[in-house]
Short mmCIF file of all heavy atoms in Angstrom, two decimals:
data_model
loop_
_atom_site.label_atom_id
_atom_site.label_comp_id
_atom_site.label_asym_id
_atom_site.label_seq_id
_atom_site.Cartn_x
_atom_site.Cartn_y
_atom_site.Cartn_z
N LEU L 1 153.75 53.72 167.30
CA LEU L 1 155.19 53.51 167.14
C LEU L 1 155.97 54.73 167.62
O LEU L 1 156.97 54.61 168.34
CB LEU L 1 155.51 53.22 165.68
CG LEU L 1 156.98 53.01 165.31
CD1 LEU L 1 157.54 51.77 166.00
CD2 LEU L 1 157.14 52.88 163.79
N VAL L 2 155.52 55.92 167.24
CA VAL L 2 156.18 57.15 167.67
C VAL L 2 156.04 57.33 169.18
O VAL L 2 157.00 57.74 169.87
CB VAL L 2 155.60 58.36 166.91
CG1 VAL L 2 156.06 59.68 167.55
CG2 VAL L 2 156.00 58.32 165.44
N ALA L 3 154.88 57.02 169.71
CA ALA L 3 154.67 57.15 171.16
C ALA L 3 155.63 56.25 171.93
O ALA L 3 156.22 56.67 172.94
CB ALA L 3 153.22 56.81 171.51
N ARG L 4 155.80 55.02 171.47
CA ARG L 4 156.73 54.10 172.13
C ARG L 4 158.16 54.63 172.02
O ARG L 4 158.96 54.49 172.95
CB ARG L 4 156.64 52.72 171.49
CG ARG L 4 155.38 51.93 171.84
CD ARG L 4 155.31 51.61 173.31
NE ARG L 4 154.37 50.55 173.60
CZ ARG L 4 153.83 50.32 174.78
NH1 ARG L 4 154.15 51.09 175.81
NH2 ARG L 4 152.99 49.33 174.98
N THR L 5 158.49 55.21 170.89
CA THR L 5 159.82 55.76 170.68
C THR L 5 160.11 56.89 171.66
O THR L 5 161.16 56.92 172.33
CB THR L 5 159.98 56.26 169.24
OG1 THR L 5 159.77 55.18 168.33
CG2 THR L 5 161.36 56.85 169.00
N LEU L 6 159.20 57.84 171.76
CA LEU L 6 159.39 59.00 172.64
C LEU L 6 159.46 58.58 174.11
O LEU L 6 160.21 59.16 174.89
CB LEU L 6 158.27 60.01 172.44
CG LEU L 6 158.32 60.80 171.12
CD1 LEU L 6 157.04 61.61 170.93
CD2 LEU L 6 159.54 61.72 171.11
N ALA L 7 158.70 57.56 174.46
CA ALA L 7 158.69 57.10 175.85
C ALA L 7 160.02 56.47 176.24
O ALA L 7 160.43 56.53 177.41
CB ALA L 7 157.56 56.10 176.07
N ALA L 8 160.73 55.88 175.28
CA ALA L 8 161.97 55.16 175.59
C ALA L 8 163.23 55.93 175.21
O ALA L 8 164.34 55.53 175.60
CB ALA L 8 161.97 53.81 174.87
N ALA L 9 163.10 57.03 174.49
CA ALA L 9 164.27 57.74 173.96
C ALA L 9 164.97 58.56 175.04
O ALA L 9 164.36 59.00 176.01
CB ALA L 9 163.83 58.65 172.82
N SER L 10 166.27 58.76 174.82
CA SER L 10 167.01 59.68 175.67
C SER L 10 166.50 61.09 175.39
O SER L 10 165.81 61.33 174.40
CB SER L 10 168.50 59.59 175.35
OG SER L 10 168.74 60.06 174.01
N SER L 11 166.86 62.02 176.26
CA SER L 11 166.37 63.39 176.07
C SER L 11 166.86 63.96 174.74
O SER L 11 166.10 64.66 174.05
CB SER L 11 166.84 64.29 177.22
OG SER L 11 168.26 64.28 177.32
N GLY L 12 168.09 63.64 174.36
CA GLY L 12 168.61 64.14 173.09
C GLY L 12 167.89 63.54 171.90
O GLY L 12 167.55 64.26 170.95
N ASP L 13 167.68 62.22 171.94
CA ASP L 13 166.98 61.58 170.84
C ASP L 13 165.52 62.03 170.77
O ASP L 13 164.98 62.23 169.68
CB ASP L 13 167.04 60.05 170.98
CG ASP L 13 168.39 59.49 170.55
OD1 ASP L 13 169.15 60.22 169.89
OD2 ASP L 13 168.67 58.31 170.85
N ALA L 14 164.91 62.20 171.92
CA ALA L 14 163.52 62.67 171.93
C ALA L 14 163.43 64.06 171.32
O ALA L 14 162.47 64.37 170.58
CB ALA L 14 162.99 62.68 173.36
N GLN L 15 164.40 64.90 171.61
CA GLN L 15 164.42 66.24 171.03
C GLN L 15 164.57 66.16 169.52
O GLN L 15 163.93 66.91 168.77
CB GLN L 15 165.57 67.05 171.64
CG GLN L 15 165.61 68.50 171.18
CD GLN L 15 166.72 69.29 171.87
OE1 GLN L 15 167.48 68.75 172.66
NE2 GLN L 15 166.82 70.58 171.54
N THR L 16 165.40 65.24 169.04
CA THR L 16 165.58 65.06 167.60
C THR L 16 164.27 64.61 166.94
O THR L 16 163.89 65.11 165.88
CB THR L 16 166.68 64.02 167.32
OG1 THR L 16 167.91 64.49 167.86
CG2 THR L 16 166.84 63.79 165.83
N VAL L 17 163.60 63.68 167.58
CA VAL L 17 162.32 63.20 167.04
C VAL L 17 161.32 64.35 166.95
O VAL L 17 160.67 64.54 165.91
CB VAL L 17 161.75 62.06 167.91
CG1 VAL L 17 160.33 61.71 167.46
CG2 VAL L 17 162.64 60.83 167.84
N ARG L 18 161.20 65.12 168.00
CA ARG L 18 160.23 66.22 168.00
C ARG L 18 160.60 67.29 166.98
O ARG L 18 159.72 67.92 166.39
CB ARG L 18 160.16 66.83 169.40
CG ARG L 18 159.55 65.90 170.45
CD ARG L 18 159.30 66.62 171.77
NE ARG L 18 158.68 65.73 172.73
CZ ARG L 18 159.33 65.07 173.68
NH1 ARG L 18 160.65 65.21 173.79
NH2 ARG L 18 158.69 64.27 174.51
N ARG L 19 161.90 67.48 166.74
CA ARG L 19 162.33 68.50 165.77
C ARG L 19 162.07 68.06 164.33
O ARG L 19 161.64 68.86 163.50
CB ARG L 19 163.82 68.79 165.98
CG ARG L 19 164.42 69.78 164.97
CD ARG L 19 165.84 70.16 165.37
NE ARG L 19 166.69 69.00 165.52
CZ ARG L 19 167.34 68.42 164.51
NH1 ARG L 19 167.20 68.88 163.26
NH2 ARG L 19 168.14 67.38 164.73
N LEU L 20 162.31 66.79 164.04
CA LEU L 20 162.20 66.32 162.66
C LEU L 20 160.79 65.85 162.30
O LEU L 20 160.38 65.96 161.14
CB LEU L 20 163.19 65.17 162.42
CG LEU L 20 164.67 65.52 162.53
CD1 LEU L 20 165.52 64.27 162.29
CD2 LEU L 20 165.05 66.62 161.54
N LEU L 21 160.05 65.34 163.27
CA LEU L 21 158.73 64.79 162.99
C LEU L 21 157.78 65.90 162.52
O LEU L 21 157.63 66.92 163.18
CB LEU L 21 158.16 64.12 164.26
CG LEU L 21 156.88 63.31 164.07
CD1 LEU L 21 157.13 62.08 163.22
CD2 LEU L 21 156.32 62.91 165.44
N GLY L 22 157.18 65.69 161.37
CA GLY L 22 156.23 66.67 160.83
C GLY L 22 156.87 67.69 159.91
O GLY L 22 156.19 68.61 159.44
N ASP L 23 158.16 67.52 159.60
CA ASP L 23 158.85 68.42 158.66
C ASP L 23 158.55 67.95 157.23
O ASP L 23 159.02 66.89 156.82
CB ASP L 23 160.35 68.39 158.91
CG ASP L 23 161.13 69.29 157.95
OD1 ASP L 23 160.49 69.96 157.11
OD2 ASP L 23 162.37 69.31 158.05
N PRO L 24 157.76 68.71 156.46
CA PRO L 24 157.40 68.26 155.10
C PRO L 24 158.60 68.16 154.17
O PRO L 24 158.53 67.48 153.14
CB PRO L 24 156.42 69.33 154.63
CG PRO L 24 156.69 70.53 155.47
CD PRO L 24 157.14 70.00 156.79
N ALA L 25 159.71 68.83 154.53
CA ALA L 25 160.92 68.78 153.69
C ALA L 25 161.91 67.73 154.18
O ALA L 25 163.06 67.71 153.75
CB ALA L 25 161.59 70.16 153.67
N LEU L 26 161.48 66.84 155.06
CA LEU L 26 162.37 65.83 155.62
C LEU L 26 162.98 64.99 154.50
O LEU L 26 162.27 64.40 153.68
CB LEU L 26 161.58 64.92 156.57
CG LEU L 26 162.39 63.94 157.40
CD1 LEU L 26 163.27 64.66 158.42
CD2 LEU L 26 161.46 62.96 158.12
N ASP L 27 164.32 64.95 154.44
CA ASP L 27 165.00 64.22 153.36
C ASP L 27 165.36 62.81 153.82
O ASP L 27 165.04 62.39 154.94
CB ASP L 27 166.24 64.98 152.90
CG ASP L 27 167.24 65.25 154.03
OD1 ASP L 27 167.13 64.60 155.10
OD2 ASP L 27 168.15 66.08 153.84
N GLU L 28 166.05 62.07 152.95
CA GLU L 28 166.40 60.69 153.25
C GLU L 28 167.29 60.59 154.49
O GLU L 28 167.17 59.65 155.28
CB GLU L 28 167.11 60.06 152.05
CG GLU L 28 166.20 59.85 150.85
CD GLU L 28 166.92 59.14 149.71
OE1 GLU L 28 168.07 58.68 149.93
OE2 GLU L 28 166.34 59.04 148.62
N ARG L 29 168.16 61.57 154.65
CA ARG L 29 169.04 61.57 155.82
C ARG L 29 168.22 61.72 157.11
O ARG L 29 168.49 61.04 158.11
CB ARG L 29 170.06 62.69 155.70
CG ARG L 29 171.09 62.73 156.80
CD ARG L 29 172.11 63.83 156.53
NE ARG L 29 173.09 63.92 157.60
CZ ARG L 29 174.08 64.79 157.64
NH1 ARG L 29 174.23 65.65 156.63
NH2 ARG L 29 174.94 64.82 158.65
N GLY L 30 167.23 62.60 157.07
CA GLY L 30 166.37 62.80 158.24
C GLY L 30 165.53 61.57 158.53
O GLY L 30 165.36 61.18 159.69
N VAL L 31 165.01 60.94 157.48
CA VAL L 31 164.24 59.71 157.65
C VAL L 31 165.12 58.63 158.28
O VAL L 31 164.70 57.92 159.20
CB VAL L 31 163.68 59.22 156.30
CG1 VAL L 31 163.09 57.81 156.43
CG2 VAL L 31 162.60 60.18 155.79
N ALA L 32 166.35 58.53 157.79
CA ALA L 32 167.28 57.52 158.32
C ALA L 32 167.59 57.78 159.80
O ALA L 32 167.69 56.83 160.59
CB ALA L 32 168.57 57.53 157.51
N ALA L 33 167.72 59.05 160.17
CA ALA L 33 168.01 59.39 161.57
C ALA L 33 166.85 58.98 162.47
O ALA L 33 167.07 58.42 163.57
CB ALA L 33 168.28 60.88 161.69
N LEU L 34 165.63 59.23 162.03
CA LEU L 34 164.46 58.86 162.83
C LEU L 34 164.31 57.35 162.89
O LEU L 34 163.98 56.80 163.95
CB LEU L 34 163.20 59.51 162.24
CG LEU L 34 163.09 61.02 162.45
CD1 LEU L 34 161.89 61.59 161.71
CD2 LEU L 34 162.97 61.35 163.94
N ARG L 35 164.57 56.68 161.79
CA ARG L 35 164.50 55.22 161.81
C ARG L 35 165.50 54.63 162.81
O ARG L 35 165.19 53.68 163.53
CB ARG L 35 164.78 54.67 160.41
CG ARG L 35 163.64 54.81 159.42
CD ARG L 35 164.08 54.35 158.05
NE ARG L 35 162.97 54.27 157.11
CZ ARG L 35 163.12 54.07 155.80
NH1 ARG L 35 164.35 53.95 155.29
NH2 ARG L 35 162.06 53.99 155.02
N ARG L 36 166.69 55.21 162.83
CA ARG L 36 167.72 54.72 163.75
C ARG L 36 167.26 54.85 165.19
O ARG L 36 167.41 53.91 165.99
CB ARG L 36 169.03 55.49 163.55
CG ARG L 36 170.14 55.09 164.51
CD ARG L 36 171.32 56.03 164.46
NE ARG L 36 170.96 57.41 164.78
CZ ARG L 36 170.74 57.86 166.01
NH1 ARG L 36 170.82 57.03 167.06
NH2 ARG L 36 170.44 59.12 166.22
N ILE L 37 166.69 56.00 165.53
CA ILE L 37 166.22 56.22 166.90
C ILE L 37 165.10 55.24 167.25
O ILE L 37 165.07 54.66 168.34
CB ILE L 37 165.76 57.68 167.09
CG1 ILE L 37 166.94 58.64 166.95
CG2 ILE L 37 165.07 57.86 168.44
CD1 ILE L 37 166.54 60.10 166.90
N ILE L 38 164.18 55.04 166.31
CA ILE L 38 163.06 54.12 166.55
C ILE L 38 163.58 52.71 166.80
O ILE L 38 163.07 52.01 167.70
CB ILE L 38 162.10 54.15 165.34
CG1 ILE L 38 161.38 55.51 165.27
CG2 ILE L 38 161.08 53.02 165.42
CD1 ILE L 38 160.61 55.73 163.98
N GLU L 39 164.58 52.30 166.05
CA GLU L 39 165.15 50.96 166.24
C GLU L 39 165.98 50.88 167.53
O GLU L 39 165.87 49.92 168.29
CB GLU L 39 166.01 50.58 165.04
CG GLU L 39 165.20 50.33 163.77
CD GLU L 39 166.06 49.82 162.63
OE1 GLU L 39 166.62 50.65 161.89
OE2 GLU L 39 166.17 48.58 162.50
N ASP L 40 166.80 51.90 167.77
CA ASP L 40 167.69 51.88 168.93
C ASP L 40 166.91 51.90 170.25
O ASP L 40 167.39 51.33 171.26
CB ASP L 40 168.66 53.07 168.90
CG ASP L 40 169.73 52.91 167.81
OD1 ASP L 40 169.82 51.81 167.24
OD2 ASP L 40 170.44 53.89 167.54
N THR L 41 165.78 52.57 170.29
CA THR L 41 164.98 52.60 171.52
C THR L 41 164.26 51.29 171.78
O THR L 41 163.71 51.08 172.87
CB THR L 41 163.92 53.72 171.45
OG1 THR L 41 163.08 53.50 170.31
CG2 THR L 41 164.56 55.09 171.39
N GLY L 42 164.26 50.41 170.79
CA GLY L 42 163.52 49.15 170.92
C GLY L 42 162.05 49.28 170.58
O GLY L 42 161.29 48.30 170.70
N ALA L 43 161.63 50.47 170.14
CA ALA L 43 160.21 50.68 169.85
C ALA L 43 159.73 49.82 168.69
O ALA L 43 158.61 49.29 168.71
CB ALA L 43 159.95 52.16 169.54
N LEU L 44 160.58 49.66 167.67
CA LEU L 44 160.19 48.84 166.53
C LEU L 44 159.96 47.40 166.96
O LEU L 44 158.93 46.80 166.63
CB LEU L 44 161.26 48.90 165.44
CG LEU L 44 161.04 47.99 164.22
CD1 LEU L 44 159.73 48.31 163.52
CD2 LEU L 44 162.22 48.10 163.26
N GLN L 45 160.90 46.83 167.70
CA GLN L 45 160.75 45.45 168.15
C GLN L 45 159.57 45.30 169.10
O GLN L 45 158.85 44.29 169.07
CB GLN L 45 162.03 44.98 168.82
CG GLN L 45 162.02 43.49 169.17
CD GLN L 45 161.79 42.63 167.94
OE1 GLN L 45 162.49 42.75 166.94
NE2 GLN L 45 160.79 41.75 168.00
N GLU L 46 159.37 46.31 169.93
CA GLU L 46 158.25 46.25 170.87
C GLU L 46 156.92 46.20 170.12
O GLU L 46 156.02 45.43 170.49
CB GLU L 46 158.28 47.46 171.81
CG GLU L 46 157.26 47.37 172.93
CD GLU L 46 157.38 48.51 173.93
OE1 GLU L 46 158.26 49.37 173.74
OE2 GLU L 46 156.59 48.53 174.88
N CYS L 47 156.80 47.00 169.07
CA CYS L 47 155.56 46.99 168.28
C CYS L 47 155.40 45.67 167.53
O CYS L 47 154.29 45.16 167.39
CB CYS L 47 155.54 48.18 167.32
SG CYS L 47 155.17 49.74 168.13
N GLU L 48 156.50 45.11 167.05
CA GLU L 48 156.44 43.79 166.42
C GLU L 48 155.96 42.74 167.42
O GLU L 48 155.14 41.87 167.08
CB GLU L 48 157.80 43.40 165.85
CG GLU L 48 158.25 44.19 164.63
CD GLU L 48 157.52 43.79 163.35
OE1 GLU L 48 156.61 42.92 163.41
OE2 GLU L 48 157.85 44.34 162.29
#
């Protein structure tokens, strides 16, 4: 799912994913931001 997201994301969104992914202190806001990118890139629907 993450691989599909990074492949389809804009450079800015991809940078956000790489910055937040793997942060053990990631809060609900950070989770929501990553979920939005995953959905907006179409990666979620593609995996479905």
Side-chain angles (χ1 to χ4, degrees):
L1 178 64
V2 168
R4 286 296 197 199
T5 300
L6 287 171
S10 66
S11 58
D13 282 346
Q15 185 177 1
T16 299
V17 172
R18 292 189 178 98
R19 176 172 56 85
L20 296 179
L21 189 67
D23 179 2
L26 189 67
D27 57 16
E28 291 184 8
R29 184 176 178 181
V31 170
L34 288 174
R35 284 175 171 170
R36 177 190 59 77
I37 294 171
I38 291 169
E39 291 186 272
D40 288 350
T41 58
L44 175 60
Q45 187 58 53
E46 188 175 0
C47 285
E48 289 285 3

